[in-house]
Amino acid sequence: MISPEELAGMIDHTNIKPNATKDDIKKLCKECVEYSFSSACVTPTNVALTYEILGDTNVKVCSVVGFPFGTNKSEIKAFEALVAVEDGAVELDMVMNIGAMKSSENALVQRDIEGVVESADGTVVKVIIETALLTDDEKIGASILSQKAGADYVKTSTGIGYSGANVYDVKLIRETIGSDMGVKASGSIRNLKTALEMIDAGASRIGTSTGPAIMNELLKK
């Protein structure tokens, strides 16, 4: 069985709701510190506040980029990444250009990711490929392009409006990219059983808004 420390270190505790208040973000940060989660993942407007609270802790600040549809122009995504880093983010979860991927515009998809990687300047970049909208061949192609573009992780889902992570997709991504990159499973991970299934399938990071509940299951609180 995984230890509490190991599991907590794999969780990106998340609040990316459009109606998240400052009090909600403060609560998120408090929980991140209490459970020693890997990061607090927030929307761009909440990065500065999150960094203000967590800057002196071991919890990383993560921002989403091009969220939730990935349809922003590449230049906008690159600038958004730059501002997020300036505000204190050390991890970025960017949404791939899904329409370009489905149109077989591979060069555009890769450049889109590369722009964020370059703006991030060493900051960890996770590429959200939104598996629910892709065929298996497209999932494989998106994972390979993320790898070629210099990203650090492939992430399954935004968790907004579409089905989230499943074991099949996590295994497929892990088999495609090998061991050199991370895999982040996110969306619909609300309990310990599901989190452990994703980890067994090859996930190295779990994105969830219910981190405390998952940890409490393991701790049997």
Side-chain angles (χ1 to χ4, degrees), residues 15 17 38 48 53 57 87-88 96 113 128 147 169 173 189 203:
N15 189 332
K17 295 177 181 177
S38 178
I53 298 168
T57 74
D87 282 348
M96 175 189 72
I113 299 167
I128 305 171
Q147 196 167 42
D169 287 337
I173 294 168
I189 303 173

Side-chain angles (χ1 to χ4, degrees), residues 57-79:
T57 74
N58 292 324
V59 181
K60 298 180 285 289
V61 180
C62 175
S63 178
V64 289
V65 172
F67 195 82
F69 300 124
T71 49
N72 311 62
K73 292 191 71 173
S74 296
E75 297 88 346
I76 302 301
K77 288 183 184 176
F79 182 69

Side-chain angles (χ1 to χ4, degrees), residues 64-140:
V64 289
V65 172
F67 195 82
F69 300 124
T71 49
N72 311 62
K73 292 191 71 173
S74 296
E75 297 88 346
I76 302 301
K77 288 183 184 176
F79 182 69
E80 188 176 23
L82 180 65
V83 173
V85 172
E86 289 175 347
D87 282 348
V90 294
E91 297 195 352
L92 302 172
D93 288 16
M94 69 161 292
V95 187
M96 175 189 72
N97 186 326
I98 301 164
M101 187 71 232
K102 296 191 72 65
S103 300
S104 300
E105 295 180 283
N106 291 357
L108 192 161
V109 173
Q110 185 171 333
R111 287 198 306 272
D112 188 63
I113 299 167
E114 285 172 343
V116 171
V117 171
E118 290 165 9
S119 288
D121 193 24
T123 295
V124 169
V125 174
K126 311 182 199 109
V127 181
I128 305 171
I129 66 173
E130 201 68 277
T131 50
L133 301 181
L134 304 180
T135 66
D136 282 1
D137 284 344
E138 289 165 348
K139 294 167 195 173
I140 291 168

